[in-house]
Amino acid sequence: MADGRVERNTKQKELIHEALKASNEFVSAQNLHRRLEDEGVKVGLATVYRQLNALADAGEADTVRMSGQQLFRLCGDDGHHHHLVCTGCGKTVEIESPSESWLRGISQKYGFTIERHTLEVFGMCSECQKKAHLNRLGDIGNHRKYT
């Protein structure tokens, strides 16, 4: 402790935890690191990765893989989190868990014993759907104009 290492690691851990808490959506380690640096916090990217993975391993943060990136998010304290995740903007909505009877039935059907589960459903939120629709209409209009 005399060298300040434990104190610094604890302070960095708290700063990373607070930055993650301030994010309403899933965030990558790179984006969280950039946000911390923009706020003047001196912390290495490897430390951010390490702390985020430690939070996930401890069950304090959820993690999903999207577009080849691991993303993190702090969630409520109930211990079980399931999400709808927009592939366009990253908006995340917590959803209710599938029923225990469904989980038991599906595990029995395939001869599994459930140890734990996660559920992330990926799609597009209504705002991204509207933008995609408007982009398609613009593309059709441009196509007609040039043919």
Side-chain angles (χ1 to χ4, degrees):
M1 251 196 258
D3 68 0
R5 185 176 175 94
V6 172
E7 184 178 322
R8 190 180 90 219
N9 285 342
T10 301
K11 183 173 176 139
Q12 288 176 338
K13 180 180 180 178
E14 289 171 9
L15 290 168
I16 291 166
H17 187 274
E18 288 304 310
L20 189 59
K21 188 177 183 180
S23 179
N24 294 325
E25 312 301 338
F26 279 93
V27 63
S28 69
Q30 296 92 339
N31 286 343
L32 194 64
H33 177 255
R34 191 174 311 112
R35 195 176 306 158
L36 286 164
E37 283 194 329
D38 289 348
E39 294 171 5
V41 175
K42 299 291 184 208
V43 61
L45 180 58
T47 300
V48 174
Y49 270 107
R50 195 169 37 256
Q51 292 298 335
L52 289 174
N53 280 305
L55 287 169
D57 290 345
E60 296 179 42
D62 286 329
T63 181
V64 297
R65 286 195 102 29
M66 191 166 83
S67 303
Q69 271 191 315
Q70 185 176 14
L71 306 175
F72 300 87
R73 179 175 183 241
L74 286 182
C75 287
D77 295 329
D78 64 2
H80 238 46
H81 311 291
H82 305 289
H83 307 97
L84 292 172
V85 182
C86 179
T87 55
C89 67
K91 177 180 179 179
T92 306
V93 178
E94 285 193 39
I95 58 174
E96 51 281 338
S97 178
S99 72
E100 290 301 316
S101 62
W102 180 82
L103 288 171
R104 269 193 310 279
I106 203 77
S107 65
Q108 287 173 353
K109 178 179 177 179
Y110 294 101
F112 275 71
T113 302
I114 296 177
E115 296 174 2
R116 58 186 159 73
H117 71 275
T118 61
L119 176 65
E120 273 71 45
V121 180
F122 297 91
M124 292 184 80
C125 70
S126 59
E127 290 300 312
C128 287
Q129 289 176 54
K130 288 176 194 172
K131 288 177 190 173
H133 180 70
L134 291 174
N135 286 341
R136 281 193 301 274
L137 290 177
D139 289 344
I140 292 169
N142 287 336
H143 178 70
R144 288 183 183 151
K145 199 178 347 178
Y146 295 110
T147 55

